[in-house]
Amino acid sequence: MAVNSELKYAGAALSDGSEERIPYWHLDSGQPGDVFLVIAEQHGNEVQGCEVIRRFWRVCEEHLRAGQVYLVPFANPLALRHRRSHITLGPEQPYADAAGQNMNLNWPGDPEGHDTSRLCHALHDAVVRHCTRCLDLHSWSRFTATCTLVRADVPEAVALGEATAVRFQMMVPPFRRDPAEGTTIGSLFNDNGLAATCIELAPQWVIREKEVALGLRAATNIAKLLGMIDGDMEPLDGPAVTFDQSTRAERTHTVTAPCSGLFVENGLETSDYVEQGQSLGHIISDVDLSTVGIPAPVAGYLWQYGCHREHSDIALPPQHPYADEGDVLASVMPVE
Ligand SMILES: [Zn+2]
């Protein structure tokens, strides 16, 4: 039986009286099964998931055989056009400065609230409330590895997380927040007998083929896990590195700058495997121009890589490779 694939719109009435029409795809196999939501770009600078969804739409059109799929590539079109995480953010302003209009703290939304909350409400009404499983696609900075965030207390969510076949899997606790203030989309599912998982496809601001491929594999694997698409899940090449958010620091071997200077990376990327003693790069000392090698302290996968400071996700100076003595240059997680 052919898949019924439709382009639809969730209409949000904005505070200025205009209507924002959020486009999404709805695919129906005509057979019973889960209703799987894949959503991206809640934060306007996190755009890798948008292309993941476009490709997954093609996969579903061809292969969906059970259940339904809702695909929302541009969850927050206002922030997309603003080219920043939230519509209220200005240059170099951290995400947390405008928490009120952080979309992923506003579910299920409010039709009388601020505009971001109105977008949530429109999507919740048209899409989210129909869904049983959710893959929520985000991005963080290039200095931290691509990672699946897994709600550790929800077995179905753990299964979704494993199916993403992403190297790093961070087990996270329930998100505690006054429900009246709104919550994350993942919590809407995981707190209500359903299941969701989230992937941070690093980095923000750009779309990279490798990350898109990871995201597509994750979405397709989840659909296979749920019996919506036939075939075996495509596994991760090598072991997953699963760790608890609360014990991350204990699992991580951090490399700091032994002196000040410019950190020159060695062509590695986050998630790459390194051997103990392998060169991670070097520092050019700004004191005496000496070259100071930076070896990996332990064998494992690069959880962090590159000289950076706080807010490297929204500003350029914190991405500058000049390190003060003691700045973090990399961190490695061994496989347990
Ligand atoms: Zn995000």
Side-chain angles (χ1 to χ4, degrees), residues 42-43 45-46 85 95 102 104 137-140 200:
Q42 292 198 59
H43 300 132
N45 56 334
E46 302 178 15
S85 175
Y95 278 44
N102 179 342
N104 205 26
L137 297 172
H138 289 256
S139 294
W140 54 30
E200 300 280 356

Side-chain angles (χ1 to χ4, degrees), residues 56-75:
F56 187 56
W57 166 60
R58 298 279 194 199
V59 170
C60 290
E61 281 204 320
E62 194 168 341
H63 298 290
L64 188 70
R65 68 167 186 84
Q68 302 172 49
V69 174
Y70 284 88
L71 303 174
V72 184
F74 301 122

Side-chain angles (χ1 to χ4, degrees), residues 1-4 28-31 61-62 64-65:
M1 182 176 164
V3 175
N4 184 45
D28 189 347
S29 69
Q31 300 299 315
E61 281 204 320
E62 194 168 341
L64 188 70
R65 68 167 186 84

